[in-house]
Amino acid sequence: KNDESFFLTLERQKARVFKAYHPLYSFIILGFDQFFDDLLKSRIIAHLFFVIFITYSLILLSNLLFDKTTTVLLLLIFAFNNQGGFGFGHQINPYVLSQSLSMVVLYSLVKEYKKNIIVFNILSSLMHPIGIFTNLITLIFTIFVNFKAKLKINILIIFINFVLILFIYFNKFSFFDKLSVRSADIFPNDFSVLDVLKRNLKTFYYTYSGLYKYYTIPIIFLCSIFYLLIKKDKKISCVVILIYLMIFMLPLIDKPQVNLPRRFMNIGAVIMVGSLSFIFIQSCLIMINN
């Protein structure tokens, strides 16, 4: 009886860990399992490496966009904030890892590391379908920023990301399966388009405002504008604006139980809380100097 109970527990764990829509995550866990022959131990050890990578990707992007002082503050904020169960280290899930890989993509876009852009876009998409939005950001950024400078590689980047978008969108295991407005199942339980939109906007407000209850969305947006005016960097400005476009777009196409805004909030939080922290630190420095 105990053996049967253990077997059922193991099967449930497999069902939670191994899903067709995040093949890279499953492949890594199975790779560790080849050495340890213990699924639970393999997952724990893999997650230790994942935590290191998540931290590295956050530091990489934050140092690029802001500065080391802001990065330290961001790490402290995210260490103590679970972000409603969708945070960085509190939930080592495929979508969090995909977002971490996406942060490397954003870093590579600004630095114009073309090969890295290709590799990490592919990894992000294979890690979790949320990578489709990073593919879209990459595609738009490549078209509008220095497209003619490296024409051949830029065309290749656009082609690869376009294929990845199609692959994710038409993959029947993806959570975008019934997202198409042509589907009769898009609004279950007799939800109208307006009802779903209202519900999604409430989710959006909770995600980006309720979790940081001492700061309102307008203040965060204002800080982002001030940050871009101080930074005066065309490529960084483009990345930040594209991320905000994704943030605004996701509530419009989200479905109940999918939570696209919250799944994308790891990157969104870096930009929003990072801008807030950056302006806060700059204000403190001005007050001290005066």
Side-chain angles (χ1 to χ4, degrees):
K1 189 175 180 179
N2 288 335
D3 289 341
E4 185 181 350
S5 176
F6 176 75
F7 176 77
L8 290 172
T9 303
L10 187 62
E11 288 303 305
R12 278 200 300 271
Q13 188 69 11
K14 283 182 181 178
R16 291 181 65 189
V17 174
F18 302 113
K19 294 181 180 179
Y21 66 77
H22 49 62
L24 182 58
Y25 178 79
S26 301
F27 177 78
I28 293 170
I29 303 294
L30 286 172
F32 277 98
D33 196 45
Q34 296 299 310
F35 292 98
F36 299 104
D37 197 26
D38 184 319
L39 189 62
L40 185 60
K41 185 186 290 185
S42 299
R43 190 164 181 248
I44 291 169
I45 293 170
H47 279 204
L48 291 174
F49 285 97
F50 290 154
V51 168
I52 294 169
F53 175 73
I54 289 167
T55 307
Y56 171 76
S57 65
L58 177 58
I59 292 171
L60 194 72
L61 183 62
S62 182
N63 282 348
L64 173 72
L65 297 178
F66 309 110
D67 51 41
K68 291 180 180 179
T69 310
T70 305
T71 298
V72 171
L73 190 55
L74 271 181
L75 288 171
L76 286 171
I77 290 169
F78 293 141
F80 294 102
N81 191 337
N82 191 21
Q83 297 183 53
F86 283 74
F88 288 89
H90 295 268
Q91 290 285 332
I92 309 299
N93 285 323
Y95 63 81
V96 174
L97 289 165
S98 179
Q99 293 277 274
S100 296
L101 289 162
S102 294
M103 285 190 242
V104 181
V105 172
L106 298 174
Y107 174 84
S108 302
L109 284 172
V110 174
K111 289 288 189 179
E112 295 194 32
Y113 298 150
K114 301 295 182 178
K115 291 178 182 177
N116 287 359
I117 291 168
I118 293 170
V119 170
F120 283 95
N121 263 292
I122 293 170
L123 293 176
S124 175
S125 300
L126 291 176
M127 186 63 79
H128 192 274
I130 200 71
I132 193 172
F133 300 110
T134 302
N135 302 148
L136 188 58
I137 287 172
T138 302
L139 201 149
I140 297 170
F141 183 95
T142 306
I143 291 171
F144 287 100
V145 180
N146 299 336
F147 176 68
K148 292 180 181 178
K150 296 180 180 178
L151 192 61
K152 289 183 180 179
I153 190 76
N154 283 341
I155 290 171
L156 180 62
I157 288 170
I158 290 167
F159 174 75
I160 288 172
N161 280 279
F162 185 70
V163 170
L164 287 170
I165 289 168
L166 292 178
F167 167 74
I168 293 173
Y169 189 82
F170 290 106
N171 177 4
K172 66 179 182 178
F173 296 109
S174 166
F175 54 59
F176 299 104
D177 180 33
K178 295 179 181 177
L179 193 62
S180 173
V181 290
R182 294 168 296 180
S183 172
D185 297 325
I186 187 168
F187 300 121
N189 304 322
D190 297 322
F191 280 134
S192 69
V193 176
L194 193 59
D195 288 336
V196 173
L197 185 56
K198 284 179 180 177
R199 182 172 178 172
N200 290 341
L201 290 173
K202 285 180 181 178
T203 303
F204 168 82
Y205 184 81
Y206 169 75
T207 301
Y208 291 107
S209 179
L211 295 176
Y212 308 103
K213 57 187 178 182
Y214 301 108
Y215 311 107
T216 62
I217 286 179
I219 291 174
I220 292 174
F221 290 164
L222 198 60
C223 286
S224 296
I225 293 169
F226 286 153
Y227 158 70
L228 292 178
L229 290 173
I230 292 168
K231 201 72 177 177
K232 293 180 182 178
D233 186 298
K234 179 185 174 183
K235 288 183 284 188
I236 287 176
S237 296
C238 187
V239 165
V240 171
I241 290 167
L242 286 172
I243 289 169
Y244 265 113
L245 285 175
M246 294 299 124
I247 290 169
F248 291 135
M249 184 184 76
L250 294 184
L252 304 180
I253 65 171
D254 196 19
K255 285 187 63 182
Q257 309 305 318
V258 177
N259 288 319
L260 289 178
R262 294 177 72 181
R263 291 182 189 276
F264 191 75
M265 76 173 295
N266 294 68
I267 289 178
V270 172
I271 301 300
M272 299 174 91
V273 183
S275 298
L276 187 71
S277 302
F278 179 81
I279 296 300
F280 172 74
I281 291 166
Q282 295 301 313
S283 301
C284 290
L285 289 173
I286 290 169
M287 288 176 67
I288 292 167
N289 291 334
N290 290 336

